[in-house]
Amino acid sequence: MQIQTGSSENQAIHTNLQTQEKAAAEGGRKAAKQQRKTTIFAGDLPLHKDPITLRRQQAQKKAMEFVQNAWDTDRKTDQSIAKYEALAGEQRKEILVNRDRIYECRDRKENLREGYGVEKDSQEQKDLELLERRYYPNNGEFADLDFTEEERKRLEELEGEPLTEYQQRCLEIDGEEQVFKIREGRAESALVAYNGAVRSIKQERLKSHEMTDAQNNAKKVMEEASKDIQGMLWEEAKDQVDETYEETREEEEKKAEEKEAEEEKIELRREQKELMEARMEEVREESHETEAAQREQEKDAREEASFLKDMAEAGFNVAGAGDSVKAEIKDILNKLKLIEADIKGIEVDEEI
């Protein structure tokens, strides 16, 4: 059957198709956008790791932490040593700088002595040296103990006398030298402290054996992990053996069930075959019985036909006789046949 539609219906169908295509395209864009949002990259997912690999990685991480901590400590120790050694180096430079300044001061005083023409064993030079010891003693707390009685009297005399220009300039230089001596002394003290700190740190390092202990701890961690992994491998092998045994047992049970089912099928087919053969035997016996009955019927029919023929030849008309009459006649004929057979038997005996 052909369906015809008008132009308005075609237009409606065309419009509907366009609407469906547009909706499908929009749905496809939304689906693609949603898919981009829900896309999961394999690199963003944590990879599954078997327990043995995970245990080994954990042990390695812990061992590395021991070594890393020891390395960090050792590096900090090295940094501390380097720091104090650098500070000690700065103090050495400070000592040398101030020592040079001291030598410069002494050279300046020597140049002044020569310039002013002051002899080393002159009273002016001796008085200068006495005043230097008084104003810039090596130990100010016990300064008075450093002078003899004669030196004390001379200092008292010098207090009332003016200083020579040479003496005054030298004492000014002594003041500068004293500043450099103080700085040199402070630098030497700091140098001793920094060198002591370096020695202490090195001695502590020798006592701590941080890196050796870390390596020993890392070794212990790896040994424990190795034992754990061996146990895990043993359990895994045992589970695998059990699983294989279970699979083998199930397979053997399945084969046994299949064999039993097959034997049942064979037994069923055998029984069916026996039933079939028995039925066929029954059919054959029934067929033989039927054939025998049929042969008997055929024989009776031939005998009856022969009887009727004999009776007809004898002049008897038994076509309309009943069965009882026919039976009696037949019985008489049978007897006659027997008599005839007997007679024939007698004749045979006589011939013998």
Side-chain angles (χ1 to χ4, degrees):
M1 180 177 64
Q2 185 177 3
I3 300 175
Q4 296 181 352
T5 58
S7 59
S8 60
E9 294 177 354
N10 289 332
Q11 184 67 26
I13 293 172
H14 182 68
T15 303
N16 189 21
L17 289 174
Q18 287 182 341
T19 302
Q20 291 178 357
E21 290 175 356
K22 184 177 180 181
E26 183 66 23
R29 285 194 295 270
K30 290 182 179 179
K33 184 177 181 181
Q34 183 67 23
Q35 184 177 4
R36 286 194 297 271
K37 290 182 179 180
T38 57
T39 299
I40 300 176
F41 294 96
D44 297 333
L45 295 175
L47 298 177
H48 174 71
K49 297 180 180 179
D50 61 278
I52 294 175
T53 302
L54 186 61
R55 181 68 180 89
R56 183 181 293 108
Q57 290 179 348
Q58 290 175 346
Q60 291 174 347
K61 181 179 179 182
K62 189 173 182 180
M64 286 300 299
E65 287 178 355
F66 281 120
V67 177
Q68 185 64 41
N69 292 335
W71 172 255
D72 292 340
T73 302
D74 194 64
R75 185 172 57 183
K76 291 179 180 178
T77 301
D78 290 338
Q79 291 174 351
S80 298
I81 292 174
K83 172 185 173 183
Y84 289 124
E85 287 180 345
L87 293 173
E90 293 176 358
Q91 298 307 315
R92 289 191 188 93
K93 293 179 181 179
E94 182 70 14
I95 291 172
L96 293 176
V97 169
N98 287 280
R99 190 166 295 173
D100 290 340
R101 298 292 185 272
I102 292 171
Y103 292 149
E104 290 177 0
C105 290
R106 292 177 181 177
D107 291 339
R108 287 165 58 192
K109 288 194 300 181
E110 182 64 21
N111 291 332
L112 286 174
R113 187 187 66 77
E114 292 178 355
Y116 282 99
V118 178
E119 298 295 334
K120 291 183 179 181
D121 56 351
S122 65
Q123 187 62 41
E124 185 177 4
Q125 182 65 29
K126 292 180 180 179
D127 290 341
L128 174 62
E129 293 175 358
L130 185 61
L131 291 171
E132 287 176 342
R133 289 174 57 195
R134 175 63 184 272
Y135 294 118
Y136 304 105
N138 293 328
N139 190 342
E141 184 177 356
F142 303 101
D144 293 340
L145 299 178
D146 294 336
F147 299 99
T148 63
E149 185 65 26
E150 184 179 357
E151 289 174 341
R152 291 192 182 95
K153 291 180 179 180
R154 180 57 185 164
L155 285 173
E156 291 177 359
E157 294 174 356
L158 290 174
E159 289 178 358
E161 298 178 0
L163 299 175
T164 64
E165 185 177 354
Y166 164 70
Q167 292 175 342
Q168 186 176 357
R169 292 184 64 181
C170 285
L171 289 174
E172 291 175 357
I173 295 173
D174 287 334
E176 295 179 12
E177 182 180 346
Q178 186 67 20
V179 173
F180 296 135
K181 284 184 177 180
I182 293 173
R183 291 178 181 177
E184 180 187 15
R186 290 176 179 174
E188 288 176 348
S189 299
L191 178 61
V192 171
Y194 293 143
N195 288 334
V198 171
R199 285 194 299 271
S200 298
I201 293 172
K202 290 182 177 180
Q203 289 174 357
E204 289 299 322
R205 169 182 281 179
L206 294 175
K207 293 178 182 178
S208 63
H209 306 289
E210 187 75 22
M211 185 58 69
T212 302
D213 295 340
Q215 291 176 351
N216 292 334
N217 291 332
K219 184 178 179 181
K220 290 179 181 179
V221 169
M222 295 305 297
E223 289 176 353
E224 292 176 358
S226 179
K227 292 179 181 179
D228 293 343
I229 290 173
Q230 289 178 1
M232 295 168 71
L233 289 172
W234 171 257
E235 290 296 329
E236 184 176 346
K238 182 176 178 294
D239 294 341
Q240 187 174 2
V241 170
D242 294 341
E243 183 178 355
T244 303
Y245 171 76
E246 185 65 22
E247 291 177 354
T248 303
R249 187 182 63 80
E250 292 177 356
E251 186 176 354
E252 290 178 353
E253 290 179 355
K254 183 178 180 181
K255 289 181 179 179
E257 293 175 356
E258 292 177 352
K259 182 178 180 181
E260 184 178 355
E262 187 66 24
E263 290 178 353
E264 291 178 356
K265 290 181 181 179
I266 294 173
E267 181 66 20
L268 180 60
R269 287 196 292 269
R270 187 183 64 77
E271 293 177 356
Q272 290 177 347
K273 182 179 179 182
E274 290 178 355
L275 291 174
M276 182 70 71
E277 291 177 351
R279 180 59 182 161
M280 291 177 65
E281 184 65 26
E282 291 178 359
V283 171
R284 282 195 295 270
E285 290 178 357
E286 291 177 356
S287 177
H288 291 162
E289 291 177 357
T290 302
E291 290 176 357
Q294 187 176 359
R295 286 194 297 270
E296 186 66 26
Q297 290 177 358
E298 291 176 353
K299 179 181 178 183
D300 292 342
R302 287 194 298 270
E303 289 179 353
E304 184 176 356
S306 177
F307 166 71
L308 294 175
K309 182 179 178 182
D310 291 340
M311 291 299 294
E313 290 177 354
F316 292 98
N317 185 10
V318 294
D323 291 337
S324 60
V325 175
K326 290 179 180 180
E328 290 179 359
I329 296 172
K330 185 177 180 181
D331 183 59
I332 293 171
L333 291 175
N334 287 333
K335 291 179 179 179
L336 290 175
K337 288 180 179 180
L338 289 173
I339 293 172
E340 183 179 358
D342 292 338
I343 292 172
K344 289 181 179 180
I346 293 171
E347 290 178 352
V348 171
D349 292 337
E350 288 180 351
E351 290 178 357
I352 294 173

